[in-house]
Amino acid sequence: MASGQAANLTKLVPASFVDVEDDHNVVKPPRPALGWTSDSGALLLSDGWDIWKVPVTGSAAVNLTGNGRKDGIRYRTNLPA
């Protein structure tokens, strides 16, 4: 952020964060972020099934739920968007 450079944090994540269920006239609408970790070191994102912890440093993302897509479980948050 200090450098002002843009970065694609999800480039290497093996999931898509495009909201394919959004029917607005927008090309590849993103799913809204779920929030930040308490240390602001990672963003929490949903691919519609699992919840991912995506570090702002560009290091490997972690699938926190692990089995959502595989088992057909949609993990969601009850926090306000």
Side-chain angles (χ1 to χ4, degrees):
M1 289 249 223
S3 71
Q5 296 293 320
N8 182 347
L9 298 178
T10 62
K11 183 168 98 172
L12 300 176
V13 180
S16 172
F17 301 103
V18 173
D19 188 350
V20 296
E21 297 166 354
D22 187 335
D23 64 351
H24 290 88
N25 190 18
V26 176
V27 176
K28 296 185 179 180
R31 292 188 172 278
L34 301 177
W36 292 90
T37 56
S38 60
D39 64 358
S40 299
L43 191 58
L44 299 175
L45 299 174
S46 171
D47 64 2
W49 298 98
D50 292 296
I51 297 176
W52 293 81
K53 180 180 175 183
V54 183
V56 297
T57 60
S59 56
V62 177
N63 183 336
L64 298 175
T65 50
N67 67 328
R69 184 173 297 280
K70 180 177 68 107
D71 294 340
I73 300 169
R74 289 184 181 261
Y75 289 99
R76 299 176 186 235
T77 178
N78 60 354
L79 299 174

